[in-house]
Structure formats: structure tokens, C-alpha cells
Amino acid sequence: MSKLFRAVILGPPGSGKGTISERVANSFGLKHLSSGDFLRENIAAKTEAGVLAKTYIEKGALVPDHVMTRLMLSRLEEMTRHSWLLDGFPRTLAQAKVLNSAFELDVVISLNIPLETLKERLRHRWIHPASGRVYNMCFNPPRVQGVDDISGEPLIQHEDDRPEALVARLRHYKDVAKPVIDLYRAKGILHMFSDTETDRIWPYISSLLSTKIPTDLGDAQRVRTH
Ligand SMILES: Nc1nc2c(ncn2[C@@H]2O[C@H](COP(=O)(O)OP(=O)(O)OP(=O)(O)O)[C@@H](O)[C@H]2O)c(=O)[nH]1
Ligand SMILES: Nc1ccn([C@@H]2O[C@H](COP(=O)(O)OP(=O)(O)O)[C@@H](O)[C@H]2O)c(=O)n1
């Protein structure tokens, strides 16, 4: 079987992980696994992990490491035949160590976006909860304001996307993410990107991945869209 490709994208809330992950999935045929979306699916399905995770997310707290690692690793065990890009996991050093003991990562992308840019982006972020589709009134607005392009269902804004909630989330993110970033830098697989616009970062990420992703991923997996 051809070599598989395993990557993680790290970044604070609003940094564009989901936006960039979708472009990576479309360009390189990797499976994008968003831990936030996966948690919301489990919450909606009222799974044991979802019910437990909900109690933490509602308080704006992180879901405990053992719940996240059990949930994410069982999902990854179902994807062993696929190349993937993880978004939002690992989020802590404990999560990273468990992931590293189970899978060898090829690339870790870390987005470094200024606070004011994050605030501005999240202020205008609208989400279709059922699909996880993400819009932005300034960057990628829906055809009809407040309505999902595909389903016609209403869009919502996350309570903790408000600017006053963001500062606390950001401080917590930085405290928790630093040892994870340091770990992957020490492994020599960290690639940092800083800018205020996704469209300026994307070409660099795309060319990095073009050099790293095995060309023999197989047609089924590698769908090049230009
Ligand atoms: N103005 C602007 N908005 C952007 C840009 N890139 C992404 N966005 C929007 O900014 C918001 C945040 O982007 P996401 O991809 O959701 O960021 P994220 O890192 O996945 O955020 P979390 O899921 O909260 O961790 C969304 O509404 C995006 O549509 C950009 O370059 N400029
Ligand atoms: N590894 C993770 C990922 C998400 N989460 C929780 O799930 C929520 C939604 O995750 P998300 O990635 O959609 O949003 P962000 O808060 O990361 O911007 C987070 O706010 C956390 O409460 C977590 O606790 N641990």
C-alpha cells in the first residue's frame, strides 16, 4: 500500500484552520477530521462521549484529555487506510503524546494570526451547525444573509465567538498550545505561517504540502483541483 500522509493544523480560534483544512482536503484528497465538528456530531447523536463533552464545552472549558484522546483515536482507527489532516486535535501536550504514540506525523502546520484579525474574523463568522459549513460576512458570505447556501437552514453565531469571550479563549489557547508547538518544533516537522489573510498563506501551505505528500497517493486519494 502506498505511503500515507498524516498532518495536523494548529492555530487559535478564528485563525483559519477549518478554512485551510477544507482547501487541503479538496486539493490533495486528504481526509479532514475537525475535532470540533466531530464533538458536535457526538453531542447531536447523544453518544456517551458527546453527553460528557457537552458539559465542558457549555462552560467554555476544554474536554478532558482522556475523553478527547479516546474519541479521536477510535475515529482514527477507522481511517487507517486514509491520509488525513487533523484540525483542533491535539490541543494539549498530553493529547499530542498519545497521538504521537499511535501515529507518526509528517507535517504540523501552525497558524500565527494577530489578535485583532481573529476578533474581526470571529465577529463576522456564521455557521450552519448541522453541516459545520463556515461563512464570513467579509470573507465568504452566504448568498442570502443568515441562510446556509446548501440547505437553506438558518446560520448561527457561536456564543463564545464574541470579542469579550475571545480574549480568555486566546490566553488559554496560548498556554495550552505552546508545549505542543515546542514538541513538534523539536521533532523538526513544524511549519509556522503568519499573515492576516488566508489567501496569502494558502500558496505557501499548498507548495509545502506538494513537496511532502507522496505522489503515489493513488488516484482515489489524490484529487488535484486547479
Ligand atoms: N476576513 C477574513 N476572514 C477569514 C479569512 N480566513 C478565514 N476567514 C473567516 O474567519 C473565520 C474563522 O475561520 P475558521 O476557518 O473557522 O477558523 P478556525 O481556526 O477553524 O476557527 P475555530 O474553529 O474557532 O478554531 C471564518 O468565518 C472564516 O470564513 C481571511 O483571510 N480573511
Ligand atoms: N481538542 C479539543 C477540541 C475541541 N474542544 C472543545 O470543543 C469546542 C469547539 O471546538 P472548535 O475547534 O470548533 O472551536 P474552537 O473553540 O477550537 O475555536 C472548543 O471550544 C472546546 O471546548 C476541546 O475541548 N478539545
Side-chain angles (χ1 to χ4, degrees), residues 4 6 30-34 72-86 103 221:
L4 294 171
R6 311 240 192 264
L30 307 186
K31 277 193 175 292
H32 167 216
L33 177 53
S34 156
M72 295 303 287
L73 263 70
S74 63
R75 182 76 183 88
L76 289 172
E77 285 311 320
E78 296 164 4
M79 297 163 62
T80 49
R81 291 180 46 78
H82 291 277
S83 292
W84 40 252
L85 172 65
L86 281 183
F103 298 97
Q221 283 215 15

mmCIF file with all atom_site columns, all heavy atoms in Angstrom, residues 4 6 30-34 72-86 103 221:
data_model
loop_
_atom_site.group_PDB
_atom_site.id
_atom_site.type_symbol
_atom_site.label_atom_id
_atom_site.label_alt_id
_atom_site.label_comp_id
_atom_site.label_asym_id
_atom_site.label_entity_id
_atom_site.label_seq_id
_atom_site.pdbx_PDB_ins_code
_atom_site.Cartn_x
_atom_site.Cartn_y
_atom_site.Cartn_z
_atom_site.occupancy
_atom_site.B_iso_or_equiv
_atom_site.pdbx_formal_charge
_atom_site.auth_seq_id
_atom_site.auth_comp_id
_atom_site.auth_asym_id
_atom_site.auth_atom_id
_atom_site.pdbx_PDB_model_num
ATOM 1   N N   . LEU A 1 4   ? 1.084   6.575  3.420  1.00 0.00 ? 4   LEU A N   1
ATOM 2   C CA  . LEU A 1 4   ? 0.023   7.521  3.766  1.00 0.00 ? 4   LEU A CA  1
ATOM 3   C C   . LEU A 1 4   ? 0.655   8.782  4.330  1.00 0.00 ? 4   LEU A C   1
ATOM 4   O O   . LEU A 1 4   ? 1.820   8.790  4.731  1.00 0.00 ? 4   LEU A O   1
ATOM 5   C CB  . LEU A 1 4   ? -0.915  6.871  4.780  1.00 0.00 ? 4   LEU A CB  1
ATOM 6   C CG  . LEU A 1 4   ? -1.705  5.667  4.224  1.00 0.00 ? 4   LEU A CG  1
ATOM 7   C CD1 . LEU A 1 4   ? -2.453  4.943  5.322  1.00 0.00 ? 4   LEU A CD1 1
ATOM 8   C CD2 . LEU A 1 4   ? -2.666  6.124  3.127  1.00 0.00 ? 4   LEU A CD2 1
ATOM 9   N N   . ARG A 1 6   ? 0.190   11.992 7.081  1.00 0.00 ? 6   ARG A N   1
ATOM 10  C CA  . ARG A 1 6   ? -0.538  12.370 8.297  1.00 0.00 ? 6   ARG A CA  1
ATOM 11  C C   . ARG A 1 6   ? -0.105  13.765 8.717  1.00 0.00 ? 6   ARG A C   1
ATOM 12  O O   . ARG A 1 6   ? 1.100   14.018 8.861  1.00 0.00 ? 6   ARG A O   1
ATOM 13  C CB  . ARG A 1 6   ? -0.197  11.391 9.411  1.00 0.00 ? 6   ARG A CB  1
ATOM 14  C CG  . ARG A 1 6   ? -0.328  9.927  8.985  1.00 0.00 ? 6   ARG A CG  1
ATOM 15  C CD  . ARG A 1 6   ? -1.323  9.238  9.839  1.00 0.00 ? 6   ARG A CD  1
ATOM 16  N NE  . ARG A 1 6   ? -1.307  7.786  9.694  1.00 0.00 ? 6   ARG A NE  1
ATOM 17  C CZ  . ARG A 1 6   ? -2.131  7.140  8.894  1.00 0.00 ? 6   ARG A CZ  1
ATOM 18  N NH1 . ARG A 1 6   ? -2.970  7.825  8.123  1.00 0.00 ? 6   ARG A NH1 1
ATOM 19  N NH2 . ARG A 1 6   ? -2.139  5.824  8.830  1.00 0.00 ? 6   ARG A NH2 1
ATOM 20  N N   . LEU A 1 30  ? -6.831  14.616 1.053  1.00 0.00 ? 30  LEU A N   1
ATOM 21  C CA  . LEU A 1 30  ? -6.686  14.083 2.415  1.00 0.00 ? 30  LEU A CA  1
ATOM 22  C C   . LEU A 1 30  ? -8.056  14.146 3.083  1.00 0.00 ? 30  LEU A C   1
ATOM 23  O O   . LEU A 1 30  ? -8.881  14.977 2.747  1.00 0.00 ? 30  LEU A O   1
ATOM 24  C CB  . LEU A 1 30  ? -5.734  14.962 3.235  1.00 0.00 ? 30  LEU A CB  1
ATOM 25  C CG  . LEU A 1 30  ? -4.336  15.284 2.689  1.00 0.00 ? 30  LEU A CG  1
ATOM 26  C CD1 . LEU A 1 30  ? -3.561  16.031 3.768  1.00 0.00 ? 30  LEU A CD1 1
ATOM 27  C CD2 . LEU A 1 30  ? -3.625  14.021 2.285  1.00 0.00 ? 30  LEU A CD2 1
ATOM 28  N N   . LYS A 1 31  ? -8.270  13.275 4.070  1.00 0.00 ? 31  LYS A N   1
ATOM 29  C CA  . LYS A 1 31  ? -9.494  13.394 4.877  1.00 0.00 ? 31  LYS A CA  1
ATOM 30  C C   . LYS A 1 31  ? -9.267  14.438 5.950  1.00 0.00 ? 31  LYS A C   1
ATOM 31  O O   . LYS A 1 31  ? -8.279  14.393 6.681  1.00 0.00 ? 31  LYS A O   1
ATOM 32  C CB  . LYS A 1 31  ? -9.797  12.025 5.523  1.00 0.00 ? 31  LYS A CB  1
ATOM 33  C CG  . LYS A 1 31  ? -10.551 11.087 4.581  1.00 0.00 ? 31  LYS A CG  1
ATOM 34  C CD  . LYS A 1 31  ? -11.106 9.903  5.358  1.00 0.00 ? 31  LYS A CD  1
ATOM 35  C CE  . LYS A 1 31  ? -11.969 9.002  4.494  1.00 0.00 ? 31  LYS A CE  1
ATOM 36  N NZ  . LYS A 1 31  ? -13.238 9.644  4.072  1.00 0.00 ? 31  LYS A NZ  1
ATOM 37  N N   . HIS A 1 32  ? -10.184 15.426 6.071  1.00 0.00 ? 32  HIS A N   1
ATOM 38  C CA  . HIS A 1 32  ? -10.090 16.485 7.092  1.00 0.00 ? 32  HIS A CA  1
ATOM 39  C C   . HIS A 1 32  ? -10.933 16.060 8.282  1.00 0.00 ? 32  HIS A C   1
ATOM 40  O O   . HIS A 1 32  ? -12.146 15.903 8.165  1.00 0.00 ? 32  HIS A O   1
ATOM 41  C CB  . HIS A 1 32  ? -10.605 17.811 6.508  1.00 0.00 ? 32  HIS A CB  1
ATOM 42  C CG  . HIS A 1 32  ? -10.844 18.871 7.538  1.00 0.00 ? 32  HIS A CG  1
ATOM 43  N ND1 . HIS A 1 32  ? -11.879 19.777 7.447  1.00 0.00 ? 32  HIS A ND1 1
ATOM 44  C CD2 . HIS A 1 32  ? -10.195 19.156 8.677  1.00 0.00 ? 32  HIS A CD2 1
ATOM 45  C CE1 . HIS A 1 32  ? -11.852 20.594 8.498  1.00 0.00 ? 32  HIS A CE1 1
ATOM 46  N NE2 . HIS A 1 32  ? -10.835 20.251 9.246  1.00 0.00 ? 32  HIS A NE2 1
ATOM 47  N N   . LEU A 1 33  ? -10.273 15.871 9.427  1.00 0.00 ? 33  LEU A N   1
ATOM 48  C CA  . LEU A 1 33  ? -11.017 15.497 10.645 1.00 0.00 ? 33  LEU A CA  1
ATOM 49  C C   . LEU A 1 33  ? -10.940 16.664 11.637 1.00 0.00 ? 33  LEU A C   1
ATOM 50  O O   . LEU A 1 33  ? -9.889  16.922 12.233 1.00 0.00 ? 33  LEU A O   1
ATOM 51  C CB  . LEU A 1 33  ? -10.427 14.220 11.263 1.00 0.00 ? 33  LEU A CB  1
ATOM 52  C CG  . LEU A 1 33  ? -11.047 13.730 12.573 1.00 0.00 ? 33  LEU A CG  1
ATOM 53  C CD1 . LEU A 1 33  ? -12.568 13.568 12.476 1.00 0.00 ? 33  LEU A CD1 1
ATOM 54  C CD2 . LEU A 1 33  ? -10.393 12.417 13.015 1.00 0.00 ? 33  LEU A CD2 1
ATOM 55  N N   . SER A 1 34  ? -12.064 17.389 11.753 1.00 0.00 ? 34  SER A N   1
ATOM 56  C CA  . SER A 1 34  ? -12.139 18.519 12.690 1.00 0.00 ? 34  SER A CA  1
ATOM 57  C C   . SER A 1 34  ? -12.660 18.009 14.030 1.00 0.00 ? 34  SER A C   1
ATOM 58  O O   . SER A 1 34  ? -13.773 17.470 14.109 1.00 0.00 ? 34  SER A O   1
ATOM 59  C CB  . SER A 1 34  ? -13.094 19.593 12.144 1.00 0.00 ? 34  SER A CB  1
ATOM 60  O OG  . SER A 1 34  ? -13.600 20.375 13.208 1.00 0.00 ? 34  SER A OG  1
ATOM 61  N N   . MET A 1 72  ? -10.994 10.604 19.625 1.00 0.00 ? 72  MET A N   1
ATOM 62  C CA  . MET A 1 72  ? -10.291 10.863 18.362 1.00 0.00 ? 72  MET A CA  1
ATOM 63  C C   . MET A 1 72  ? -9.529  9.636  17.874 1.00 0.00 ? 72  MET A C   1
ATOM 64  O O   . MET A 1 72  ? -9.517  9.328  16.689 1.00 0.00 ? 72  MET A O   1
ATOM 65  C CB  . MET A 1 72  ? -9.345  12.060 18.525 1.00 0.00 ? 72  MET A CB  1
ATOM 66  C CG  . MET A 1 72  ? -10.043 13.368 18.796 1.00 0.00 ? 72  MET A CG  1
ATOM 67  S SD  . MET A 1 72  ? -11.236 13.828 17.529 1.00 0.00 ? 72  MET A SD  1
ATOM 68  C CE  . MET A 1 72  ? -10.132 14.284 16.213 1.00 0.00 ? 72  MET A CE  1
ATOM 69  N N   . LEU A 1 73  ? -8.911  8.898  18.799 1.00 0.00 ? 73  LEU A N   1
ATOM 70  C CA  . LEU A 1 73  ? -8.143  7.741  18.348 1.00 0.00 ? 73  LEU A CA  1
ATOM 71  C C   . LEU A 1 73  ? -9.039  6.638  17.828 1.00 0.00 ? 73  LEU A C   1
ATOM 72  O O   . LEU A 1 73  ? -8.713  5.955  16.858 1.00 0.00 ? 73  LEU A O   1
ATOM 73  C CB  . LEU A 1 73  ? -7.192  7.240  19.461 1.00 0.00 ? 73  LEU A CB  1
ATOM 74  C CG  . LEU A 1 73  ? -5.779  7.808  19.255 1.00 0.00 ? 73  LEU A CG  1
ATOM 75  C CD1 . LEU A 1 73  ? -5.750  9.290  19.524 1.00 0.00 ? 73  LEU A CD1 1
ATOM 76  C CD2 . LEU A 1 73  ? -4.740  7.096  20.040 1.00 0.00 ? 73  LEU A CD2 1
ATOM 77  N N   . SER A 1 74  ? -10.234 6.483  18.435 1.00 0.00 ? 74  SER A N   1
ATOM 78  C CA  . SER A 1 74  ? -11.128 5.448  17.907 1.00 0.00 ? 74  SER A CA  1
ATOM 79  C C   . SER A 1 74  ? -11.582 5.845  16.498 1.00 0.00 ? 74  SER A C   1
ATOM 80  O O   . SER A 1 74  ? -11.695 5.001  15.612 1.00 0.00 ? 74  SER A O   1
ATOM 81  C CB  . SER A 1 74  ? -12.329 5.249  18.827 1.00 0.00 ? 74  SER A CB  1
ATOM 82  O OG  . SER A 1 74  ? -13.089 6.440  18.887 1.00 0.00 ? 74  SER A OG  1
ATOM 83  N N   . ARG A 1 75  ? -11.770 7.143  16.264 1.00 0.00 ? 75  ARG A N   1
ATOM 84  C CA  . ARG A 1 75  ? -12.134 7.615  14.918 1.00 0.00 ? 75  ARG A CA  1
ATOM 85  C C   . ARG A 1 75  ? -10.972 7.397  13.948 1.00 0.00 ? 75  ARG A C   1
ATOM 86  O O   . ARG A 1 75  ? -11.171 6.949  12.803 1.00 0.00 ? 75  ARG A O   1
ATOM 87  C CB  . ARG A 1 75  ? -12.502 9.113  14.969 1.00 0.00 ? 75  ARG A CB  1
ATOM 88  C CG  . ARG A 1 75  ? -12.949 9.678  13.611 1.00 0.00 ? 75  ARG A CG  1
ATOM 89  C CD  . ARG A 1 75  ? -14.361 9.249  13.244 1.00 0.00 ? 75  ARG A CD  1
ATOM 90  N NE  . ARG A 1 75  ? -14.743 9.727  11.932 1.00 0.00 ? 75  ARG A NE  1
ATOM 91  C CZ  . ARG A 1 75  ? -14.505 9.052  10.787 1.00 0.00 ? 75  ARG A CZ  1
ATOM 92  N NH1 . ARG A 1 75  ? -13.859 7.902  10.839 1.00 0.00 ? 75  ARG A NH1 1
ATOM 93  N NH2 . ARG A 1 75  ? -14.903 9.524  9.622  1.00 0.00 ? 75  ARG A NH2 1
ATOM 94  N N   . LEU A 1 76  ? -9.752  7.661  14.397 1.00 0.00 ? 76  LEU A N   1
ATOM 95  C CA  . LEU A 1 76  ? -8.580  7.496  13.520 1.00 0.00 ? 76  LEU A CA  1
ATOM 96  C C   . LEU A 1 76  ? -8.326  6.031  13.203 1.00 0.00 ? 76  LEU A C   1
ATOM 97  O O   . LEU A 1 76  ? -7.849  5.691  12.117 1.00 0.00 ? 76  LEU A O   1
ATOM 98  C CB  . LEU A 1 76  ? -7.345  8.142  14.168 1.00 0.00 ? 76  LEU A CB  1
ATOM 99  C CG  . LEU A 1 76  ? -7.368  9.673  14.192 1.00 0.00 ? 76  LEU A CG  1
ATOM 100 C CD1 . LEU A 1 76  ? -6.211  10.212 15.028 1.00 0.00 ? 76  LEU A CD1 1
ATOM 101 C CD2 . LEU A 1 76  ? -7.329  10.250 12.781 1.00 0.00 ? 76  LEU A CD2 1
ATOM 102 N N   . GLU A 1 77  ? -8.688  5.142  14.129 1.00 0.00 ? 77  GLU A N   1
ATOM 103 C CA  . GLU A 1 77  ? -8.528  3.705  13.856 1.00 0.00 ? 77  GLU A CA  1
ATOM 104 C C   . GLU A 1 77  ? -9.403  3.269  12.688 1.00 0.00 ? 77  GLU A C   1
ATOM 105 O O   . GLU A 1 77  ? -9.111  2.316  11.989 1.00 0.00 ? 77  GLU A O   1
ATOM 106 C CB  . GLU A 1 77  ? -8.884  2.885  15.110 1.00 0.00 ? 77  GLU A CB  1
ATOM 107 C CG  . GLU A 1 77  ? -7.831  2.923  16.214 1.00 0.00 ? 77  GLU A CG  1
ATOM 108 C CD  . GLU A 1 77  ? -6.406  2.643  15.720 1.00 0.00 ? 77  GLU A CD  1
ATOM 109 O OE1 . GLU A 1 77  ? -6.231  1.748  14.863 1.00 0.00 ? 77  GLU A OE1 1
ATOM 110 O OE2 . GLU A 1 77  ? -5.496  3.352  16.179 1.00 0.00 ? 77  GLU A OE2 1
ATOM 111 N N   . GLU A 1 78  ? -10.494 4.020  12.468 1.00 0.00 ? 78  GLU A N   1
ATOM 112 C CA  . GLU A 1 78  ? -11.391 3.694  11.336 1.00 0.00 ? 78  GLU A CA  1
ATOM 113 C C   . GLU A 1 78  ? -10.837 4.276  10.025 1.00 0.00 ? 78  GLU A C   1
ATOM 114 O O   . GLU A 1 78  ? -11.370 4.036  8.958  1.00 0.00 ? 78  GLU A O   1
ATOM 115 C CB  . GLU A 1 78  ? -12.788 4.290  11.579 1.00 0.00 ? 78  GLU A CB  1
ATOM 116 C CG  . GLU A 1 78  ? -13.518 3.724  12.779 1.00 0.00 ? 78  GLU A CG  1
ATOM 117 C CD  . GLU A 1 78  ? -14.704 4.623  13.180 1.00 0.00 ? 78  GLU A CD  1
ATOM 118 O OE1 . GLU A 1 78  ? -14.979 5.615  12.466 1.00 0.00 ? 78  GLU A OE1 1
ATOM 119 O OE2 . GLU A 1 78  ? -15.338 4.331  14.200 1.00 0.00 ? 78  GLU A OE2 1
ATOM 120 N N   . MET A 1 79  ? -9.774  5.085  10.124 1.00 0.00 ? 79  MET A N   1
ATOM 121 C CA  . MET A 1 79  ? -9.265  5.793  8.934  1.00 0.00 ? 79  MET A CA  1
ATOM 122 C C   . MET A 1 79  ? -7.849  5.362  8.586  1.00 0.00 ? 79  MET A C   1
ATOM 123 O O   . MET A 1 79  ? -7.106  6.091  7.936  1.00 0.00 ? 79  MET A O   1
ATOM 124 C CB  . MET A 1 79  ? -9.286  7.307  9.183  1.00 0.00 ? 79  MET A CB  1
ATOM 125 C CG  . MET A 1 79  ? -10.673 7.894  9.409  1.00 0.00 ? 79  MET A CG  1
ATOM 126 S SD  . MET A 1 79  ? -10.628 9.534  10.171 1.00 0.00 ? 79  MET A SD  1
ATOM 127 C CE  . MET A 1 79  ? -9.747  10.492 8.951  1.00 0.00 ? 79  MET A CE  1
ATOM 128 N N   . THR A 1 80  ? -7.459  4.162  9.011  1.00 0.00 ? 80  THR A N   1
ATOM 129 C CA  . THR A 1 80  ? -6.049  3.770  8.862  1.00 0.00 ? 80  THR A CA  1
ATOM 130 C C   . THR A 1 80  ? -5.654  3.640  7.384  1.00 0.00 ? 80  THR A C   1
ATOM 131 O O   . THR A 1 80  ? -4.483  3.684  7.055  1.00 0.00 ? 80  THR A O   1
ATOM 132 C CB  . THR A 1 80  ? -5.780  2.421  9.559  1.00 0.00 ? 80  THR A CB  1
ATOM 133 O OG1 . THR A 1 80  ? -6.790  1.500  9.132  1.00 0.00 ? 80  THR A OG1 1
ATOM 134 C CG2 . THR A 1 80  ? -5.833  2.575  11.067 1.00 0.00 ? 80  THR A CG2 1
ATOM 135 N N   . ARG A 1 81  ? -6.630  3.513  6.488  1.00 0.00 ? 81  ARG A N   1
ATOM 136 C CA  . ARG A 1 81  ? -6.268  3.392  5.064  1.00 0.00 ? 81  ARG A CA  1
ATOM 137 C C   . ARG A 1 81  ? -6.254  4.751  4.367  1.00 0.00 ? 81  ARG A C   1
ATOM 138 O O   . ARG A 1 81  ? -6.094  4.851  3.168  1.00 0.00 ? 81  ARG A O   1
ATOM 139 C CB  . ARG A 1 81  ? -7.276  2.474  4.357  1.00 0.00 ? 81  ARG A CB  1
ATOM 140 C CG  . ARG A 1 81  ? -7.173  1.015  4.790  1.00 0.00 ? 81  ARG A CG  1
ATOM 141 C CD  . ARG A 1 81  ? -8.178  0.138  4.061  1.00 0.00 ? 81  ARG A CD  1
ATOM 142 N NE  . ARG A 1 81  ? -8.224  0.396  2.618  1.00 0.00 ? 81  ARG A NE  1
ATOM 143 C CZ  . ARG A 1 81  ? -7.323  -0.060 1.756  1.00 0.00 ? 81  ARG A CZ  1
ATOM 144 N NH1 . ARG A 1 81  ? -6.297  -0.760 2.212  1.00 0.00 ? 81  ARG A NH1 1
ATOM 145 N NH2 . ARG A 1 81  ? -7.411  0.193  0.466  1.00 0.00 ? 81  ARG A NH2 1
ATOM 146 N N   . HIS A 1 82  ? -6.424  5.812  5.148  1.00 0.00 ? 82  HIS A N   1
ATOM 147 C CA  . HIS A 1 82  ? -6.505  7.143  4.525  1.00 0.00 ? 82  HIS A CA  1
ATOM 148 C C   . HIS A 1 82  ? -5.401  8.065  5.027  1.00 0.00 ? 82  HIS A C   1
ATOM 149 O O   . HIS A 1 82  ? -4.969  7.965  6.176  1.00 0.00 ? 82  HIS A O   1
ATOM 150 C CB  . HIS A 1 82  ? -7.857  7.791  4.866  1.00 0.00 ? 82  HIS A CB  1
ATOM 151 C CG  . HIS A 1 82  ? -9.008  7.111  4.213  1.00 0.00 ? 82  HIS A CG  1
ATOM 152 N ND1 . HIS A 1 82  ? -9.397  7.376  2.916  1.00 0.00 ? 82  HIS A ND1 1
ATOM 153 C CD2 . HIS A 1 82  ? -9.829  6.145  4.669  1.00 0.00 ? 82  HIS A CD2 1
ATOM 154 C CE1 . HIS A 1 82  ? -10.427 6.603  2.608  1.00 0.00 ? 82  HIS A CE1 1
ATOM 155 N NE2 . HIS A 1 82  ? -10.715 5.844  3.659  1.00 0.00 ? 82  HIS A NE2 1
ATOM 156 N N   . SER A 1 83  ? -4.982  8.988  4.163  1.00 0.00 ? 83  SER A N   1
ATOM 157 C CA  . SER A 1 83  ? -4.156  10.112 4.604  1.00 0.00 ? 83  SER A CA  1
ATOM 158 C C   . SER A 1 83  ? -5.102  11.117 5.227  1.00 0.00 ? 83  SER A C   1
ATOM 159 O O   . SER A 1 83  ? -6.250  11.252 4.782  1.00 0.00 ? 83  SER A O   1
ATOM 160 C CB  . SER A 1 83  ? -3.442  10.736 3.397  1.00 0.00 ? 83  SER A CB  1
ATOM 161 O OG  . SER A 1 83  ? -2.487  9.822  2.903  1.00 0.00 ? 83  SER A OG  1
ATOM 162 N N   . TRP A 1 84  ? -4.633  11.794 6.303  1.00 0.00 ? 84  TRP A N   1
ATOM 163 C CA  . TRP A 1 84  ? -5.563  12.729 6.953  1.00 0.00 ? 84  TRP A CA  1
ATOM 164 C C   . TRP A 1 84  ? -4.876  13.988 7.471  1.00 0.00 ? 84  TRP A C   1
ATOM 165 O O   . TRP A 1 84  ? -3.658  14.043 7.599  1.00 0.00 ? 84  TRP A O   1
ATOM 166 C CB  . TRP A 1 84  ? -6.332  12.057 8.105  1.00 0.00 ? 84  TRP A CB  1
ATOM 167 C CG  . TRP A 1 84  ? -5.648  11.102 9.025  1.00 0.00 ? 84  TRP A CG  1
ATOM 168 C CD1 . TRP A 1 84  ? -5.832  9.750  9.064  1.00 0.00 ? 84  TRP A CD1 1
ATOM 169 C CD2 . TRP A 1 84  ? -4.694  11.387 10.068 1.00 0.00 ? 84  TRP A CD2 1
ATOM 170 N NE1 . TRP A 1 84  ? -5.069  9.176  10.064 1.00 0.00 ? 84  TRP A NE1 1
ATOM 171 C CE2 . TRP A 1 84  ? -4.356  10.163 10.684 1.00 0.00 ? 84  TRP A CE2 1
ATOM 172 C CE3 . TRP A 1 84  ? -4.097  12.565 10.543 1.00 0.00 ? 84  TRP A CE3 1
ATOM 173 C CZ2 . TRP A 1 84  ? -3.452  10.065 11.749 1.00 0.00 ? 84  TRP A CZ2 1
ATOM 174 C CZ3 . TRP A 1 84  ? -3.195  12.476 11.603 1.00 0.00 ? 84  TRP A CZ3 1
ATOM 175 C CH2 . TRP A 1 84  ? -2.888  11.234 12.200 1.00 0.00 ? 84  TRP A CH2 1
ATOM 176 N N   . LEU A 1 85  ? -5.748  14.983 7.725  1.00 0.00 ? 85  LEU A N   1
ATOM 177 C CA  . LEU A 1 85  ? -5.326  16.246 8.326  1.00 0.00 ? 85  LEU A CA  1
ATOM 178 C C   . LEU A 1 85  ? -6.221  16.481 9.543  1.00 0.00 ? 85  LEU A C   1
ATOM 179 O O   . LEU A 1 85  ? -7.435  16.561 9.417  1.00 0.00 ? 85  LEU A O   1
ATOM 180 C CB  . LEU A 1 85  ? -5.485  17.407 7.330  1.00 0.00 ? 85  LEU A CB  1
ATOM 181 C CG  . LEU A 1 85  ? -5.270  18.815 7.875  1.00 0.00 ? 85  LEU A CG  1
ATOM 182 C CD1 . LEU A 1 85  ? -3.837  19.030 8.336  1.00 0.00 ? 85  LEU A CD1 1
ATOM 183 C CD2 . LEU A 1 85  ? -5.645  19.852 6.823  1.00 0.00 ? 85  LEU A CD2 1
ATOM 184 N N   . LEU A 1 86  ? -5.597  16.553 10.714 1.00 0.00 ? 86  LEU A N   1
ATOM 185 C CA  . LEU A 1 86  ? -6.335  16.772 11.973 1.00 0.00 ? 86  LEU A CA  1
ATOM 186 C C   . LEU A 1 86  ? -6.413  18.259 12.274 1.00 0.00 ? 86  LEU A C   1
ATOM 187 O O   . LEU A 1 86  ? -5.407  18.975 12.189 1.00 0.00 ? 86  LEU A O   1
ATOM 188 C CB  . LEU A 1 86  ? -5.598  16.075 13.117 1.00 0.00 ? 86  LEU A CB  1
ATOM 189 C CG  . LEU A 1 86  ? -5.765  14.565 13.269 1.00 0.00 ? 86  LEU A CG  1
ATOM 190 C CD1 . LEU A 1 86  ? -5.015  14.083 14.487 1.00 0.00 ? 86  LEU A CD1 1
ATOM 191 C CD2 . LEU A 1 86  ? -7.234  14.220 13.379 1.00 0.00 ? 86  LEU A CD2 1
ATOM 192 N N   . PHE A 1 103 ? 0.504   7.301  16.005 1.00 0.00 ? 103 PHE A N   1
ATOM 193 C CA  . PHE A 1 103 ? 0.744   7.612  14.584 1.00 0.00 ? 103 PHE A CA  1
ATOM 194 C C   . PHE A 1 103 ? 1.991   8.477  14.444 1.00 0.00 ? 103 PHE A C   1
ATOM 195 O O   . PHE A 1 103 ? 2.254   9.325  15.290 1.00 0.00 ? 103 PHE A O   1
ATOM 196 C CB  . PHE A 1 103 ? -0.454  8.379  13.988 1.00 0.00 ? 103 PHE A CB  1
ATOM 197 C CG  . PHE A 1 103 ? -1.744  7.606  13.994 1.00 0.00 ? 103 PHE A CG  1
ATOM 198 C CD1 . PHE A 1 103 ? -2.669  7.790  15.004 1.00 0.00 ? 103 PHE A CD1 1
ATOM 199 C CD2 . PHE A 1 103 ? -2.020  6.666  13.001 1.00 0.00 ? 103 PHE A CD2 1
ATOM 200 C CE1 . PHE A 1 103 ? -3.863  7.074  15.013 1.00 0.00 ? 103 PHE A CE1 1
ATOM 201 C CE2 . PHE A 1 103 ? -3.208  5.942  13.005 1.00 0.00 ? 103 PHE A CE2 1
ATOM 202 C CZ  . PHE A 1 103 ? -4.135  6.152  14.009 1.00 0.00 ? 103 PHE A CZ  1
ATOM 203 N N   . GLN A 1 221 ? -7.194  8.824  -3.897 1.00 0.00 ? 221 GLN A N   1
ATOM 204 C CA  . GLN A 1 221 ? -6.957  9.701  -2.746 1.00 0.00 ? 221 GLN A CA  1
ATOM 205 C C   . GLN A 1 221 ? -6.540  11.095 -3.176 1.00 0.00 ? 221 GLN A C   1
ATOM 206 O O   . GLN A 1 221 ? -6.789  12.070 -2.498 1.00 0.00 ? 221 GLN A O   1
ATOM 207 C CB  . GLN A 1 221 ? -5.826  9.110  -1.898 1.00 0.00 ? 221 GLN A CB  1
ATOM 208 C CG  . GLN A 1 221 ? -6.290  7.945  -1.065 1.00 0.00 ? 221 GLN A CG  1
ATOM 209 C CD  . GLN A 1 221 ? -5.593  7.915  0.268  1.00 0.00 ? 221 GLN A CD  1
ATOM 210 O OE1 . GLN A 1 221 ? -4.991  8.890  0.673  1.00 0.00 ? 221 GLN A OE1 1
ATOM 211 N NE2 . GLN A 1 221 ? -5.688  6.806  0.942  1.00 0.00 ? 221 GLN A NE2 1
#
